Every structure is written in structure tokens, then in C-alpha cells.
């Protein structure tokens, strides 16, 4: 709720630039449905295995977002993510086109897939987003994606979540009431 009440964040999130990117690249009229930011710290150093779901954050397991009818998220690195040990955001290119039934889900409720269950031909399509603080990128989160496991330092990310509709589970099942943007 602090992000929504910040006029600086609200003005940044409501820039026409983000809406134009989504219209031009993803071909739909976007609605801003959420703003989040989070730190990711190094996990249990005894296990760097991303399939070890007891030592890995849920978002660090391959998954797809299916909360709304159509989702695009714009991510902003607020810390440098220079190498794989900094836990870059990763996608498997083109997997938004795959039927959701084609995968062996570790958790079918949240569409989580263990690394070992990703077919080799899809693993070859992995793209890791590296960049300095300020780097940003837009992603169709129907693609299989994850946040890489942070081994050193920490990662801070800001996320603008856009959808084609407000319809979907996100608003209905939130544990807290959604505050309103304060663009003043």
C-alpha cells in the first residue's frame, strides 16, 4: 500500500510510455492492476537447487501467471543484476503459445513446474534478463518464467502489472484491500 500512496510511484506508473509499449508490442488496451516491489535475498546456501522447493521462493520455480485474461508486467531493476548469481528474471521464450496441459506441474493450483520437468528443447529457449539498476523490460507472463535464485548480494525489483481486464482472481482473492493510486 506504500507504493500506491506514493505520488512519485503513482506518477511513474501512470506514464503514457508504459501504456504505449504494451499497446504497440502486445496489442491490447492495458489497465494498471497492481504495483509491487520486493527484495530477494540469498536463500539457503546449502542448496542452490531451484527444484528444492523448501529452500526456494515460490516465484523462483518456473510458472505462468493466469490471474487475468491477458497479463503483461514491466519489471524495473532497482539494483544491479549483472550475472546469474544476482538472480535475474528468466523466461522460456515462446511458452505462452503452449497449451497449459503439456506440462508436468509440481503444483497445479499455481502452475509451478520444477526445473527437472522442463523439456530440454524448452530449456534451450531460456533468456535471463541482466542489467544495471534502472534496466526495465516488459514480459507476457503467460510465458513460463521465474526469478533466479540470488546467491550473492540481493535484488530489488519494481513491477507494474497491466492486464486487458480487471476481471480475474487477483482482486477477488487479495488478502488486503487494494489502495487507490495517489497521483497528486
Amino acid at each position: 500500500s506504500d507504493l500506491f500512496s506514493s505520488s512519485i510511484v503513482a506518477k511513474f506508473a501512470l506514464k503514457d510510455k508504459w501504456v504505449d509499449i504494451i499497446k504497440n508490442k502486445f496489442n491490447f488496451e492495458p489497465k494498471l492492476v497492481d504495483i509491487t516491489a520486493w527484495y530477494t535475498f540469498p536463500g539457503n546456501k546449502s542448496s542452490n537447487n531451484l527444484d528444492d522447493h523448501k529452500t526456494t521462493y515460490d516465484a523462483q520455480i518456473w510458472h505462468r501467471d493466469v490471474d487475468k485474461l491477458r497479463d503483461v508486467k514491466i519489471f524495473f531493476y532497482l539494483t544491479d543484476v549483472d550475472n546469474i548469481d544476482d538472480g535475474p528474471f528468466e523466461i522460456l521464450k515462446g511458452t505462452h503459445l503452449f497449451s497449459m496441459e503439456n506440462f508436468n506441474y509440481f503444483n497445479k493450483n499455481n502452475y509451478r513446474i520444477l526445473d527437472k520437468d522442463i523439456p530440454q528443447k524448452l530449456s534451450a529457449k531460456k533468456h535471463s534478463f541482466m542489467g544495471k539498476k534502472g534496466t526495465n523490460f516488459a514480459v507476457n507472463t503467460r510465458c513460463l518464467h521465474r526469478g533466479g535464485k540470488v546467491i550473492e548480494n540481493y535484488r530489488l525489483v519494481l513491477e507494474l502489472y497491466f492486464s486487458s481486464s480487471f476481471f480475474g482472481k487477483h482482486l477477488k482473492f487479495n488478502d488486503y484491500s487494494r489502495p487507490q493510486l495517489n497521483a497528486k
Side-chain angles (χ1 to χ4, degrees):
S1 63
D2 290 345
L3 290 172
F4 275 82
S5 62
S6 166
S7 63
I8 294 169
V9 172
K11 287 175 187 174
F12 177 77
L14 294 172
K15 284 187 175 198
D16 289 339
K17 175 181 182 177
W18 315 127
V19 171
D20 291 343
I21 288 171
I22 293 170
K23 280 183 184 176
N24 294 329
K25 299 288 183 191
F26 297 96
N27 200 28
F28 71 87
E29 186 71 37
K31 294 158 183 50
L32 180 66
V33 295
D34 202 1
I35 303 170
T36 55
W38 65 91
Y39 284 98
T40 305
F41 297 99
N44 182 343
K45 294 205 180 217
S46 67
S47 176
N48 290 332
N49 177 0
L50 285 167
D51 283 349
D52 183 356
H53 59 277
K54 292 182 174 118
T55 63
T56 302
Y57 299 115
D58 196 44
Q60 292 174 316
I61 298 172
W62 290 112
H63 66 282
R64 15 172 47 153
D65 295 344
V66 293
D67 296 336
K68 302 270 184 228
L69 298 176
R70 193 147 182 222
D71 302 315
V72 170
K73 294 181 179 179
I74 302 177
F75 295 92
F76 302 85
Y77 286 150
L78 302 180
T79 54
D80 293 342
V81 179
D82 293 326
N83 60 61
I84 206 74
D85 288 347
D86 292 333
F89 183 88
E90 299 177 317
I91 64 165
L92 296 177
K93 293 180 183 178
T95 53
H96 65 290
L97 302 172
F98 285 59
S99 167
M100 295 174 72
E101 297 167 1
N102 291 343
F103 297 102
N104 179 24
Y105 290 102
F106 158 70
N107 179 331
K108 288 186 180 188
N109 291 331
N110 292 324
Y111 299 100
R112 297 310 196 249
I113 304 169
L114 298 177
D115 203 46
K116 69 179 182 61
D117 293 327
I118 298 293
Q120 185 61 35
K121 65 181 181 180
L122 292 182
S123 290
K125 295 181 176 202
K126 182 170 80 172
H127 177 76
S128 299
F129 291 85
M130 310 284 189
K132 296 286 184 196
K133 178 171 47 173
T135 296
N136 57 79
F137 47 92
V139 176
N140 175 344
T141 56
R142 286 284 199 264
C143 277
L144 287 170
H145 64 279
R146 68 181 177 190
K149 197 163 193 175
V150 176
I151 306 302
E152 298 294 328
N153 304 316
Y154 63 90
R155 182 187 66 219
L156 177 58
V157 176
L158 174 71
E159 172 194 287
L160 303 181
Y161 176 7
F162 292 91
S163 183
S164 60
S165 168
F166 289 112
F167 176 78
K169 77 174 190 177
H170 189 74
L171 293 175
K172 184 176 180 185
F173 294 108
N174 252 345
D175 291 335
Y176 55 93
S177 61
R178 175 62 57 214
Q180 297 297 309
L181 279 174
N182 176 11
K184 294 179 186 174

